[in-house]
């Protein structure tokens, strides 16, 4: 298949596609889906508003033709979407796809690992914000302990999946877990990436004073370990990578707040209901689902996507201020998928 290269107003190519497959989750992480908002009365997307697997596959094919090489499935919790293994099987078989990954809280990962691997999944990024039960349970607000997540990580590795761990760090929430998490995952030779707490959505009460920056985390780690930089493995890689000196084990930093990386952002996002976003912090999406359901041809859909990407000017993290963080309308993280 001939893949084209389309670039936006700042010359950034369209290369990665993140697809959110559900807005539901079995966790209620306080920084993402606070229970006060996402409680029992919260109305999630009804099934008919979700993109079907046929629709996701059709869009993925079109995006691949337009230059996408890497697809990541996310959510809400993507492993809650019924039939997710068969969706991965369909996507993994598409011509032109070089990499397919999934981001998950991993509660369901252990029992699904062998099937996910057999379906063609290559990589999983597991979110785990603490190694100590008490802190983890306070964060997920859903009575999940760390051991099932750790078991899933071990099972996924055994199944042959590449595994990395993501930890959102928020001051006063889990900063005391920075070093214990490093020690734990260094021992298992698993890459741990620290994510600066971000001002996504309207409900997570973000304030700059809650952000533990890359520099602060790096300084904490440096009291115990010597870290040396590692080159990015592809253009636009989200994390800044380091390795523990004398080992092949890495740590990374996702520095959206202290060192934004918009100038190399090659990522498009499709939410569970088929809205297309050109930035994680977008206020509004473009409804691809209705277009799909209106009988539009693949060529017309390609033109639509190209024209949206060509006029893309997003660089939210470069422009972030206290004012934008407080007042700009932004889509919720659990819906757009991170
Ligand atoms: N600000 C910002 N954050 C992002 C972007 N892409 C990913 N992230 C955040 O980075 C964190 C980790 O993302 P993952 O889902 O693991 O994806 P990834 O880091 O691209 O995955 P790899 O392919 O393994 O490098 C999540 O909190 C995402 O919300 C982005 O374009 N902008
Ligand atoms: C929205 S979740 C979706 C996938 C899955 N439920 C999970 O937690 O891995 C994707 C990623 O976004 C991260 N995230 C959510 N809210 C965040 C915030 N306010 N700042 C930084 N990262 C956040 C999560 O920790 C997770 O690593
Ligand atoms: S971060 Fe992931 S696991 Fe936590 S509430 Fe959000 S979607 Fe669910
Ligand atoms: S803030 Fe928007 S433009 Fe910047 S890196 Fe994140 S998704 Fe890309």
């Amino acid at each position: 298949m001939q893949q084209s290269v389309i670039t936006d107003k700042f010359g950034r190519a369209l290369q990665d596609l993140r697809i959110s497959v559900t807005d539901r989750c079995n966790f209620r992480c306080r920084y993402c889906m606070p229970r006060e908002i996402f409680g029992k009365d919260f109305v999630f997307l009804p099934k008919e508003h979700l993109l079907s697997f046929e629709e996701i596959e059709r869009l993925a094919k079109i995006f691949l033709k337009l230059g996408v090489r890497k697809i990541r499935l996310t959510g809400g919790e993507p492993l809650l979407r019924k039939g997710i293994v068969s969706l991965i099987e369909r996507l993994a078989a598409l011509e032109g796809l070089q990499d397919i990954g999934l981001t998950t809280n991993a509660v369901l990962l252990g029992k699904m690992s062998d099937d996910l691997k057999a379906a063609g999944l290559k990589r999983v990024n597991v979110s785990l914000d603490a190694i100590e039960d008490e802190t983890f349970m306070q964060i997920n607000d859903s009575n999940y302990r760390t051991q099932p997540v750790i078991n899933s990580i071990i099972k996924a590795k055994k199944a042959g999946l590449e595994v990395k761990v993501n930890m959102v760090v928020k001051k006063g929430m889990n900063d005391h877990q920075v070093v214990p998490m490093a020690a734990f995952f260094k021992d298992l030779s698993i890459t741990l990436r620290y994510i600066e707490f971000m001002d996504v959505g309207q409900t997570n009460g973000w304030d700059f004073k809650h952000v533990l920056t890359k520099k602060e985390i790096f300084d904490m780690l440096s009291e115990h370990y010597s870290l040396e930089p590692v080159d990015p493995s592809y253009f636009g890689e989200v994390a800044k990578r380091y390795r523990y000196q004398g080992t092949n084990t890495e740590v990374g930093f996702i520095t959206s707040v202290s060192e934004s990386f918009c100038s190399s952002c090659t990522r498009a996002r499709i939410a569970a209901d088929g809205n297309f976003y050109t930035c994680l912090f977008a206020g509004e999406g473009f409804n691809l689902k209705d277009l799909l359901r209106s009988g539009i041809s693949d060529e017309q859909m390609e033109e639509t996507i190209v024209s949206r990407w060509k006029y893309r000017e997003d660089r939210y993290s470069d422009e972030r201020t206290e004012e934008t963080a407080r007042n700009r309308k932004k889509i919720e993280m659990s819906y757009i998928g991170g």
Side-chain angles (χ1 to χ4, degrees), residues 12-173:
R12 300 170 296 186
L14 169 55
Q15 280 182 5
D16 312 275
L17 180 62
R18 300 176 66 98
I19 306 173
S20 170
V21 294
T22 177
D23 59 337
R24 291 165 198 261
C25 191
N26 41 356
F27 281 19
R28 285 293 177 274
C29 301
R30 292 177 195 265
Y31 56 74
C32 178
M33 296 181 80
R35 214 170 260 290
E36 306 81 70
I37 312 276
F38 296 89
K40 61 179 185 330
D41 296 331
F42 186 81
V43 182
F44 290 98
L45 291 167
K47 188 162 180 259
E48 63 278 14
H49 288 205
L50 297 178
L51 286 183
S52 68
F53 289 173
E54 288 69 30
E55 289 167 336
I56 293 176
E57 186 182 356
R58 186 171 165 209
L59 283 177
K61 271 190 195 157
I62 293 170
F63 274 93
L64 285 167
K65 202 166 158 210
L66 295 178
V68 161
R69 287 165 179 74
K70 176 176 154 191
I71 292 180
R72 173 164 294 280
L73 299 178
T74 174
E77 175 45 45
L79 296 181
L80 287 180
R81 177 81 188 251
K82 219 168 150 217
I84 185 77
V85 172
S86 68
L87 174 66
I88 289 170
E89 202 164 17
R90 293 164 86 142
L91 296 178
L94 295 179
E95 201 188 335
L97 186 68
Q98 290 174 7
D99 186 16
I100 177 160
L102 176 126
T103 302
T104 173
N105 63 33
V107 166
L108 298 170
L109 178 65
K111 63 176 185 215
M112 294 173 76
S113 287
D114 289 332
D115 290 345
L116 290 166
K117 172 70 181 168
L121 189 70
K122 294 186 195 311
R123 307 194 292 120
V124 284
N125 291 352
V126 171
S127 306
L128 178 68
D129 298 332
I131 202 65
E132 156 199 293
D133 272 339
E134 198 189 335
T135 308
F136 186 53
M137 290 167 84
Q138 265 169 18
I139 296 170
N140 69 52
D141 199 15
S142 304
N143 276 328
Y144 287 105
R145 293 177 181 275
T146 57
Q147 198 57 51
V149 177
I150 294 161
N151 293 346
S152 286
I153 291 172
I154 292 165
K155 184 79 201 303
K157 275 197 80 166
K158 272 206 186 118
L161 292 163
E162 242 181 78
V163 183
K164 294 199 292 252
V165 173
N166 286 331
M167 171 184 182
V168 174
V169 191
K170 184 178 167 195
K171 270 187 193 156
M173 174 179 92

Side-chain angles (χ1 to χ4, degrees), residues 261-262 265 267 269 279-281 312 314-317:
F261 38 82
C262 300
C265 179
R267 286 170 289 284
R269 293 174 158 83
C279 180
L280 175 57
F281 297 88
R312 175 183 190 241
D314 307 273
R315 45 193 292 275
Y316 178 82
S317 295

Side-chain angles (χ1 to χ4, degrees), residues 185-230:
F185 287 105
K186 180 174 181 289
D187 273 358
L188 290 178
S189 306
I190 288 177
T191 300
L192 169 65
R193 301 179 317 162
Y194 298 95
I195 307 174
E196 290 177 350
F197 177 48
M198 299 191 281
D199 54 321
V200 280
Q202 307 290 114
T203 60
N204 77 355
W206 187 90
D207 194 300
F208 187 75
K209 68 173 188 274
H210 297 138
V211 180
L212 198 72
T213 62
K214 173 199 164 191
K215 183 177 182 312
E216 290 170 305
I217 300 170
F218 194 93
D219 288 348
M220 288 165 87
L221 293 177
S222 298
E223 285 181 22
H224 303 266
Y225 308 105
S226 297
L227 298 175
E228 57 191 20
V230 176

